Amino acid sequence: MSISMKITHETSPATGAQQAGHTESRQQQPTKLAEQTLAVFPLPLFVLPGGVQRLRIFEQRYLAMVSESLVSESVAAESTGKGFVIARYDKAFDFNVPDWGTKVQIIDFHHGEDGLLVIDVRASHLVSLDSFDVRGDGLLMARCHYRDHWPTLAASAKRGELGLALSALFAKHPQLAELYPQPEFNRLDWVCARFLEILPLSLNEKEKFILPGSFPQAKSFLDTFILGQDKIN
């Protein structure tokens, strides 16, 4: 099976941070968590639980956010640690973000050849946002509440066509595969989430698939968009 897809990278005009790649790691199912007040990073990105993004940081407020967000890489810390929130950048909303986002943890960081800080972040879970406030240094803060997404599916004995298609895409884009050292091509929810993150769709279109019961629609859409047919694996 062959698949051709252009992976795009965007820069947020409001934040001065760049997306350098897409990726993931094993998706964890955090328990219902107490609310937290976290920094919110407005970016033109769509990230679902288990997804990994590589970001370049150069504004002082976001360098401060990174410093405050570093936590242990343990599973417990990934569910309860500080982290921060990536929220869709949109001028139509107050504070330029909607009322939801994705909590992420920093899993790796280094300085690039240009001296800028590069961080890899992994999405833990979706959150609802309220009580927005702008800190003295310009960093947007919000109260975050755990938000349900799709139920985790068990790995299948067979990859299925969507899993094979994603595996082929990873093989063609080493910078994408690099961020997912343990890809879960046999888990259909993981495969669908990764495709939705990287497909060249508008963020508004992708937002249809953040609801807990939206997995069947996401799978049907991807069957048509990726495989060119509506079929059940």
Side-chain angles (χ1 to χ4, degrees):
M1 175 180 299
S2 64
I3 180 168
S4 176
M5 184 179 302
K6 181 180 180 181
I7 297 179
T8 59
H9 306 303
E10 300 174 278
T11 302
S12 165
T15 62
Q18 289 183 317
Q19 176 194 7
H22 295 265
T23 27
E24 91 71 275
S25 152
R26 291 187 175 273
Q27 179 178 351
Q28 304 295 337
Q29 285 296 105
T31 56
K32 306 278 181 170
L33 305 172
E35 66 183 42
Q36 296 176 286
T37 296
L38 297 173
V40 179
F41 199 175
L43 287 170
L45 295 177
F46 182 76
V47 193
L48 292 176
V52 178
Q53 299 286 332
R54 177 166 290 170
L55 308 172
R56 299 175 70 223
I57 309 294
F58 49 88
E59 283 193 30
Q60 187 58 46
R61 55 181 163 169
Y62 297 118
L63 291 171
M65 175 191 73
V66 169
S67 178
E68 296 166 13
S69 299
L70 289 172
V71 295
S72 165
E73 293 182 31
S74 69
V75 172
E78 191 158 313
S79 295
T80 63
K82 192 164 179 64
F84 61 90
V85 174
I86 291 177
R88 173 168 61 88
Y89 175 78
D90 191 330
K91 292 181 179 178
F93 295 103
D94 292 339
F95 302 100
N96 298 324
V97 294
D99 63 355
W100 73 278
T102 308
K103 182 180 176 181
V104 300
Q105 305 286 166
I106 298 170
I107 57 173
D108 196 11
F109 60 92
H110 66 276
H111 285 89
E113 294 181 0
D114 55 5
L116 296 181
L117 178 64
V118 179
I119 63 172
D120 292 346
V121 298
R122 178 164 55 231
S124 171
H125 54 276
L126 302 184
V127 292
S128 296
L129 304 173
D130 60 31
S131 300
F132 291 97
D133 186 39
V134 178
R135 214 165 66 175
D137 60 0
L139 191 62
L140 179 62
M141 307 294 293
R143 186 171 58 184
C144 308
H145 310 265
Y146 176 88
R147 183 177 183 135
D148 281 327
H149 192 227
W150 305 335
T152 300
L153 302 180
S156 169
K158 298 181 180 179
R159 289 193 173 191
E161 292 192 56
L162 283 174
L164 289 171
L166 186 62
S167 177
L169 184 64
F170 273 40
K172 289 185 177 181
H173 296 277
Q175 79 279 14
L176 178 60
E178 177 188 355
L179 290 173
Y180 292 90
Q182 294 180 304
E184 298 186 64
F185 299 127
N186 289 342
R187 234 185 68 200
L188 190 54
D189 58 326
W190 189 92
V191 168
C192 288
R194 304 296 75 82
F195 264 128
L196 289 173
E197 289 167 348
I198 62 181
L199 282 177
L201 304 171
S202 73
L203 297 179
N204 285 332
E205 289 179 288
K206 295 183 180 188
E207 194 166 334
K208 300 173 185 176
F209 302 114
I210 67 170
L211 297 177
S214 64
F215 176 74
Q217 291 77 17
K219 200 265 185 186
S220 177
F221 168 77
L222 291 170
D223 280 338
T224 301
F225 194 98
I226 302 297
L227 305 178
Q229 55 191 330
D230 187 11
K231 60 191 296 185
I232 299 176
N233 285 332

